[in-house]
Amino acid sequence: MLLTGDKLKQQHDGQGQHARTRYLESVNAVMAAQQYGGFHIGVAFNPFKYTPAEQQAQYLKLNKKLNAGADYIITQLGFDLSALKQLQTFLAQEKYIQKTLACVMPLTLARAQFMVKHKVAGIVITPHMLEVLAQDQVNQCSENAYKRCALQILICQHLGYAGVHLSACHKTDEQMLLEQYIEQYRDLNLSQCEMLWNQLWQLAEGEQIRPKVAVKRIKSALNNKVKYQFLDLIHRAMFQSSFVKGIGTFIFNASFWNRKAAAKVLLQTEYLSKHYLLGCESCGQCRLAETLYICPETCPKGLANGPCGGTDLDRCEFGDRECIHSVKSRLARDVDQIQLLKEQLIPTVPIEVRGTSSWKNWYKAE
């Protein structure tokens, strides 16, 4: 099971004495494991996303994980049955054959309060859920947590999930209690399981188990689309023209650029031309054309292939900005570049390349 990208407690942005914290992307980890061979590769996926851009970004990245060679999927912990159904529908429509496991947990009030207090990334606990769990505690109905978990396991089985990843159920008596309710409910069909699930969660409607989201379609900012069109025009002229490629290759293969002073001036020129407009950090392997000219270096984790699972209604897990992958997802829809974000597997930037000119590296690679 390849899990990467969890926010580190000691995160460094590179502004002080410490170098910037770098994360290995899950897509790239899958690519590396697939190339090495001999692994049955699992990846995580968070279907519990509730804005159009955020949800689309998650599914676009799942496409990449599966196309990179993932053999199975494990979902993030969540309790929204509609999201679990949507994932199965997506896999069927896209004709993926990978098996999926759902992460489940006997959710108690203490566990829910802990996750809310510590803002555990990617997990949705609504006020309604906390209220129901508090009632369970007052009424001494602690077994309801195991009833719900048993029902969710059986519902996932009805939906076609290959199994579950059972979390926070380590003690023998807890496992026996869960097994007891699984056996009790085993003969119920999907509709009956869902009816009992709704009763135990006191759900008059499914929205009570989802975060509140303003229902509106947010379009890309005009300046993002104009910037995309302008930069794409420049990129095509400078880096996709055979004539310009020939000139660039001739220029940058000159020994002059091996001099430290020349290399430093070139690097600084590239940095100044791109940093304030795009957030460039001189990665040496520019990926702007693959990311709709939204620089992955502006993601605190430096993720290029798509978002982590910790976003919250389009907000970055770090909480100080909108997730760039939601911005990118929205822009892709508006400039008809969804397929690019779905199919383009962006390789990892080698450490030794960072701090060099991507212009020089691009032309010398030709």
Side-chain angles (χ1 to χ4, degrees), residues 7 46 49 76 115 118-123 301 309-311 317:
K7 180 182 175 183
N46 192 340
K49 299 298 178 183
Q76 170 66 285
M115 288 187 279
H118 294 279
K119 299 180 180 179
V120 178
I123 296 180
K301 297 180 180 181
T311 58
E317 180 182 348

Side-chain angles (χ1 to χ4, degrees), residues 123-142:
I123 296 180
V124 177
I125 305 291
T126 66
H128 174 81
M129 294 170 67
L130 289 172
E131 183 180 335
V132 171
L133 294 172
Q135 290 176 16
D136 284 349
Q137 182 167 289
V138 170
N139 297 329
Q140 297 183 337
C141 297
S142 59

Side-chain angles (χ1 to χ4, degrees), residues 84-102:
L84 293 171
K85 291 177 181 178
Q86 184 179 17
L87 172 56
Q88 289 299 89
T89 299
F90 163 81
L91 294 171
Q93 288 176 342
E94 296 292 327
K95 296 181 171 56
Y96 286 118
I97 61 172
Q98 287 87 342
K99 301 297 184 182
T100 308
L101 308 178

